[in-house]
Amino acid sequence: MVRSNRVAGLVAALAFAASGCNSTAPGGPPAPTDGKILVLNSLSKTISQFNVSENELVAFGNTFTLPANYDGVSFDVLGNLFVSTISAVGGSQVVWGNVETGDLATTGFPGANGALADPGKATLVIDVQSQAGALVPARAENAIYVAFPGQPTAALISSDAGEFVERVLPFGDVLFAVDANLDDVGETWAPLGDARMKIFRVSDGAEVDDFELTGVKNASEAFFSFEEIFTLAGGTFTPAFKPAGDGNLLVVNAPGRGVVKTLALGGNGLALEPGRNGLAYIVRTNAGEFDSTDILTLNLSSSEFVRGPTNAIQPKNSDGSDLKNCRVASSLVDGRILCATFEAGTQGRLVLMDANGNFLDDAPVGAGAVDIFIRP
């Protein structure tokens, strides 16, 4: 394992925003001067920006254009700066950008096969000098890297991180790696067993513990709230590639290094986001189809459903009909919900709703909306 002095300096002082995945890019965290709400559109390779005025969505600034080879499914934001990743299909890279200026920078992966590293979801971290880095799992290499804006290649932290690591989160002097445990070598992408959580020492990348997320498959997302890691296990699919309805939300206690609660979703889990009101928002399939979705909410303090599988929030259109293709949802401080719809061949929509899912307003976003970020 090759580790630079810069890596050692960063991992000695990792910091993470517990409310979700927030951080910076070069030069520390600037004050946000763009829209309050950012929507990532994977298929149109854009970021849309909005503010809320009364009960209206107002487009703010320019739509930010991502690289032509972009195919990411998540981003991490602080101020005007964000980080995302491009998969092996697009040529593996970490992408840094400023949504105010339009500036872009990329970081590659080392070695002759670096373009095949296949990065998962990047998690931003900040060192003691307020400089940003990002923890990036490399799914094809079963590795964890740290990337820095302005550096041409990422630096290796651990070379044996799991079969298909989707997210890496720092906690004190260790890293928690969420391993979906999928068969990417055989290219079946089927679960090789239950999902797992693996723990690595940040000082040298050595594995110090691991445990199964028993009975759950396809762990795809996670965030910290205080000492708990809220983890989405999306579930599996039928032979006809229909949602099998076996998704779960897990509550992992980081100091205790184990699962303390597993909550069945009654559908497949599509997205997990921390709202700005102390609740987590889980978008799930509700009728065995990807375009039929609703929203569950969980109290982050009690780890109990507020709106669970039997009384989920059904988002509505302006005419009262069910909103289709809600792909990711979060909330404002006052509990109003924002949901972005996923559309492949046309523009999606950002829909503003009250806390019960009743329509208030909508605005067009790009194609393939996959992630949403609401600034404090």
Side-chain angles (χ1 to χ4, degrees), residues 7-231:
V7 176
L10 179 89
V11 298
L14 287 174
F16 180 71
S19 63
C21 300
N22 308 309
S23 193
T24 72
T33 57
D34 252 331
K36 181 180 179 67
I37 301 153
L38 306 177
V39 178
L40 175 66
N41 310 295
S42 184
L43 298 182
S44 61
K45 310 176 194 301
T46 57
I47 294 175
S48 307
Q49 305 181 71
F50 299 90
N51 283 321
V52 175
S53 176
E54 299 296 334
N55 281 326
E56 287 187 41
L57 290 166
V58 181
F60 192 100
N62 297 320
T63 297
F64 179 75
T65 302
L66 297 162
N69 60 333
Y70 183 79
D71 62 359
V73 297
S74 72
F75 66 157
D76 203 351
V77 182
L78 185 65
N80 293 312
L81 300 160
F82 77 90
V83 67
S84 188
T85 60
I86 296 171
S87 79
V89 175
S92 304
Q93 290 179 307
V94 180
V95 180
W96 308 89
N98 184 307
V99 292
E100 181 183 22
T101 66
D103 292 340
L104 278 175
T106 58
T107 300
F109 292 86
N113 294 320
L116 301 177
D118 196 27
K121 299 169 182 176
T123 300
L124 285 151
V125 289
I126 309 169
D127 69 13
V128 291
Q129 278 132 13
S130 294
Q131 297 299 305
L135 295 169
V136 185
R139 295 172 295 193
E141 294 184 342
N142 303 336
I144 298 171
Y145 287 89
V146 62
F148 300 98
Q151 297 296 313
T153 56
L156 183 67
I157 292 179
S158 175
S159 58
D160 187 16
E163 289 297 327
F164 200 79
V165 179
E166 288 278 25
R167 176 75 82 179
V168 181
L169 303 176
F171 183 75
D173 61 353
V174 297
L175 306 175
F176 282 78
V178 180
D179 182 9
N181 196 20
L182 303 182
D183 177 23
D184 58 330
V185 175
E187 297 186 350
T188 69
W189 316 109
L192 296 169
D194 289 344
R196 301 178 294 192
M197 192 78 76
K198 303 188 78 173
I199 306 171
F200 301 88
R201 194 163 50 228
V202 296
S203 59
D204 59 6
E207 183 176 342
V208 295
D209 204 354
D210 74 302
F211 53 92
E212 285 192 349
L213 305 179
T214 304
V216 306
K217 303 292 191 296
N218 195 20
S220 57
E221 185 58 283
F223 66 83
F224 258 105
S225 181
F226 299 101
E227 294 184 338
E228 309 292 345
I229 307 172
F230 292 86
T231 305

Side-chain angles (χ1 to χ4, degrees), residues 322-335:
D322 290 349
L323 176 69
K324 296 291 186 181
N325 292 320
C326 177
R327 176 60 176 79
V328 59
S330 188
S331 77
L332 303 172
V333 172
D334 61 11

